[in-house]
Amino acid sequence: MSRPAFTGPCARCDRTGVRFAATWPEGRICRRCYQRATRLHGTCPGCAQHRLLPGLLDGAPACADCTGIPADFHCTRCGREDEFVRTGLCAHCCLADDLTVLLDDGTGAIAAPLLPLFTALTGQKHARSARIWLTINRHAEQLLRDLAQGRLPLTHQTFQEHPCPGKVAFLRALCLEHQLLEPVNLDIERFQSWLETKVSALPAEDARIIRQYALWVHLNRIHHLQATEGLKKGTFLAAKQSITMAIGLLGHLRARGHSPAECTQHDVDAWLAGGPTTRSLARGFVRWAVEHGHLPTVDFPYRIAQATPVISQAQRLEHLRTLTEPSTQIPGTLQVAALFLLLYGQSLTRISRMRLAQIHDTEGKLTVSFTDDRLQIPPPFDRIVRAHLDALPHTNTSAHRANT
């Protein structure tokens, strides 16, 4: 039976009507605040030791001993100080137990081909998040069990033919990372799958043209960039946008009763005038199609970008002030993105691709790296970034080890 909600407020967050997890010197602590407190590690301001910091000492997180919390958070097996997942056991020990059962080859031992995966999962920093990933991803859990007991071979084909390939995609990436599978570029494979899905709904002639365009222009370029170590995520996005616009143009011709060979200049002009500026991305396709005889000679002009107004310094400072207001309702993720945009002038595209490794906390100073240089995040903006990092759900799962 679950514990009843108490009517008084939580000593940490002041919420009422919530379920409590413990009573500490400061008062009753709700379950959410308890979990946050028992997952925070750092240097205790009282004893200067690196400890779990569940308590508060003059408002700062501190260890249980210095704050008088009547609880021992040390794992009874490994001694690690952390929130218990099972009675007396930390998440790391529970994860090791769970994986030992899951990867059993039927003889009581972990299947030899999966040992590197076992080592990687149990050795990561945030074992709790790995357990959550396995718990909520029943497809990955069942596939691991089938692989361990030899019911399915550990091959790319097994993942490709899985009934829900998207559900086991990260597991496949893990197997690649730890050399359990032969190397393959998953981004290229996903791009090819995306392409086949797109062309499968097209008329046969259009599908043939789009497939040839994608192969000879985009896939050739993608393979070249991969060989020269210049392949980036943005390359696939640009290719998809180009192909999508090419498909849109052919659909426009069909709607006007024209085949590609019957395309006129008026068709092209109507296409450009009748939709968003992203239609200009079809220019590369049109030039290629004209050159290879799929379209008659037509003109496809460059799009002239319009000037974009830049906010004034006063507006920028006002936006930064808004970000630091305690009453702001802006979500933490958007706060940090806006901060990097307004404070450092970084593009949203670059911000969206950031990794946790770009944020550094050294001797109490928070810095960020956009290139090779580290830039200090000054107060009060460092508080925003720290709050965002503390509030991240389970970014360091095996599936999201480096994401922001």
Side-chain angles (χ1 to χ4, degrees):
M1 180 180 296
S2 61
R3 294 181 179 179
F6 65 94
T7 56
C10 169
R12 291 281 177 99
C13 66
D14 291 328
R15 293 188 306 152
T16 58
V18 294
R19 301 190 183 281
F20 68 90
T23 300
W24 288 346
E26 64 206 86
R28 283 176 163 178
I29 307 296
C30 73
R31 182 61 186 170
R32 185 176 70 175
C33 290
Y34 177 86
Q35 288 180 336
R36 288 181 176 177
T38 54
R39 297 175 185 180
L40 178 64
H41 293 80
T43 302
C44 174
C47 60
Q49 297 183 35
H50 189 83
R51 297 278 303 276
L52 180 71
L53 307 177
L56 292 175
L57 190 64
D58 296 328
C63 73
D65 294 338
C66 290
T67 55
I69 292 178
D72 184 358
F73 296 99
H74 290 87
C75 176
T76 57
R77 181 185 299 174
C78 70
R80 182 182 280 106
E81 196 176 21
D82 205 352
E83 177 196 19
F84 293 144
V85 172
R86 300 190 187 112
T87 303
L89 294 180
C90 68
H92 288 79
C93 291
C94 291
L95 176 63
D97 289 346
D98 294 344
L99 286 174
T100 298
V101 174
L102 181 62
L103 303 181
D104 184 356
D105 63 2
T107 67
I110 295 173
L114 297 177
L115 270 174
L117 187 62
F118 174 86
T119 302
L121 289 172
T122 56
Q124 66 171 312
K125 182 179 180 181
H126 293 265
R128 183 182 301 104
S129 298
R131 289 191 69 250
I132 293 173
W133 170 66
L134 284 172
T135 300
I136 64 177
N137 195 333
R138 295 299 183 185
H139 294 282
E141 183 184 34
Q142 184 58 50
L143 179 55
L144 280 172
R145 187 174 287 110
D146 291 338
L147 292 172
Q149 297 186 13
R151 290 191 290 265
L152 290 172
L154 184 53
T155 63
H156 287 294
Q157 187 176 1
T158 293
F159 288 91
Q160 292 167 336
E161 296 179 353
H162 191 276
C164 299
K167 297 291 186 179
V168 297
F170 177 72
L171 176 58
R172 185 185 180 195
L174 265 184
C175 291
L176 275 169
E177 179 181 344
H178 298 288
Q179 300 178 355
L180 276 68
L181 291 170
E182 295 179 357
V184 65
N185 190 304
L186 294 180
D187 288 326
I188 295 178
E189 185 177 291
R190 282 190 287 266
F191 174 76
Q192 292 173 316
S193 297
W194 172 88
L195 174 63
E196 289 306 313
T197 300
K198 296 291 284 188
V199 300
S200 64
L202 299 178
E205 182 183 8
D206 294 0
R208 176 178 57 81
I209 294 173
I210 292 297
R211 191 177 281 110
Q212 288 181 10
Y213 171 63
L215 173 63
W216 296 109
V217 175
H218 291 294
L219 273 171
N220 268 353
R221 180 171 183 268
I222 286 170
H223 286 301
H224 172 73
L225 290 174
Q226 181 189 22
T228 57
E229 300 184 352
L231 186 59
K232 299 179 179 179
K233 296 288 186 181
T235 304
F236 296 97
L237 176 60
K240 288 182 178 181
Q241 289 177 323
S242 173
I243 292 169
T244 299
M245 289 302 104
I247 292 173
L249 175 58
L250 295 184
H252 167 76
L253 295 177
R254 296 293 180 184
R256 293 167 70 92
H258 293 169
S259 68
E262 296 169 334
C263 176
T264 67
Q265 186 63 49
H266 184 63
D267 290 330
V268 173
D269 293 341
W271 160 258
L272 290 173
T277 56
T278 50
R279 289 188 172 185
S280 63
L281 296 174
R283 186 174 188 273
F285 166 72
V286 170
R287 294 185 62 190
W288 172 87
V290 169
E291 181 181 351
H292 291 82
H294 300 297
L295 294 178
T297 302
V298 290
D299 182 44
F300 198 106
Y302 282 105
R303 180 178 71 87
I304 301 176
Q306 301 297 317
T308 303
V310 179
I311 64 173
S312 66
Q313 177 70 353
Q315 290 174 314
R316 186 176 77 92
L317 294 176
E318 177 62 22
H319 290 321
L320 285 170
R321 184 190 65 78
T322 301
L323 290 176
T324 61
E325 290 181 349
S327 60
T328 182
Q329 298 298 310
I330 303 174
T333 302
L334 296 182
Q335 274 188 291
V336 174
L339 172 64
F340 290 160
L341 170 67
L342 296 168
L343 203 60
Y344 302 107
Q346 299 300 308
S347 68
L348 293 178
T349 301
R350 172 175 284 183
I351 294 171
S352 68
R353 294 199 300 260
M354 288 183 65
R355 298 287 186 248
L356 282 176
Q358 293 176 244
I359 307 294
H360 314 275
D361 194 350
T362 307
E363 297 181 355
K365 291 184 178 180
L366 204 62
T367 59
V368 59
S369 301
F370 297 109
T371 55
D372 294 332
D373 298 324
R374 291 190 181 184
L375 304 175
Q376 184 173 353
I377 305 175
F381 306 115
D382 58 344
R383 173 181 56 80
I384 296 174
V385 178
R386 281 198 172 93
H388 168 63
L389 296 177
D390 291 341
L392 289 176
H394 28 83
T395 53
N396 277 309
T397 64
S398 297
H400 303 94
R401 293 185 297 281
N403 290 348
T404 52

